[in-house]
Amino acid sequence: MNFNLTMIAQALSFLLFIWITVIWIWPMILVKIEARQKMIADGLAEAERGRSSLADAQKQTDKMLAEARARAHELVTQAERAANQRIEESKTQAKVEGDRLLAAARAQIEQEVQAARQQLREQVAALAVSGAEKILRREVDSRAHAEMLDRLKAQI
């Protein structure tokens, strides 16, 4: 191969091109590459923080849901207890009222029975007096007395 001036000039211009590239262009490219790498790293870090934040938010949401469910269950249990207590109180009041009404009815029946007995006694006494008057007006006869007593029994 033949070295001539053209080849040397080309080699020198190529070396000059490499030197200019290394001095001025390569640092600008490296700055852009480093900025891009930093931006990508920041984006990845932000995405990781977002994932972490999302996981924390999900945990917090699950915790709040669990608390809400527990509170709702507690409220339902309290409402059931209150309803059962009201039912028991109503049953007790109804039993007391029923007992009171029953006692009042028994007392009223007892009074009516006593009044009926008293009326019956008065009627029996009146019939006895009436029967005695009729017996005394008639002559003493056992058949007549038996007949009179039978009529008295029928009237009573």
Side-chain angles (χ1 to χ4, degrees):
M1 246 212 294
N2 200 356
F3 279 118
N4 57 21
L5 191 59
T6 311
M7 240 174 132
I8 294 176
Q10 284 180 353
L12 286 176
S13 63
F14 183 70
L15 288 175
L16 181 67
F17 172 74
I18 291 176
W19 182 73
I20 291 173
T21 303
V22 168
I23 299 284
W24 285 304
I25 296 174
W26 189 253
M28 287 191 305
I29 291 174
L30 282 179
V31 166
K32 297 273 185 186
I33 289 174
E34 288 172 357
R36 179 73 177 161
Q37 284 177 341
K38 184 178 183 301
M39 186 174 76
I40 290 171
D42 289 346
L44 290 174
E46 193 64 35
E48 188 59 36
R49 280 193 298 272
R51 252 189 237 118
S52 172
S53 174
L54 179 63
D56 290 344
Q58 186 65 36
K59 287 177 186 176
Q60 202 171 27
T61 302
D62 291 342
K63 181 181 175 184
M64 290 172 76
L65 280 173
E67 288 174 359
R69 284 187 184 119
R71 180 70 179 140
H73 180 70
E74 181 182 326
L75 288 174
V76 167
T77 303
Q78 286 177 355
E80 287 175 353
R81 270 190 244 134
N84 288 338
Q85 183 179 4
R86 285 188 189 121
I87 289 171
E88 290 301 319
E89 288 173 358
S90 296
K91 284 181 182 177
T92 304
Q93 288 175 352
K95 182 167 176 37
V96 167
E97 183 67 19
D99 290 345
R100 185 187 65 77
L101 290 174
L102 185 61
R106 285 185 180 158
Q108 184 178 3
I109 290 170
E110 185 63 32
Q111 287 176 353
E112 289 176 4
V113 166
Q114 291 298 329
R117 284 184 183 163
Q118 185 62 31
Q119 283 181 344
L120 186 59
R121 284 185 193 126
E122 290 172 4
Q123 288 176 358
V124 168
L127 286 174
V129 170
S130 172
E133 283 177 12
K134 289 180 183 178
I135 290 174
L136 291 176
R137 284 188 198 155
R138 284 188 172 179
E139 59 185 64
V140 178
D141 183 8
S142 63
R143 278 186 267 163
H145 289 263
E147 185 181 315
M148 187 70 77
L149 287 175
D150 288 338
R151 280 188 277 168
L152 281 174
K153 287 179 189 176
Q155 287 180 357
I156 294 177

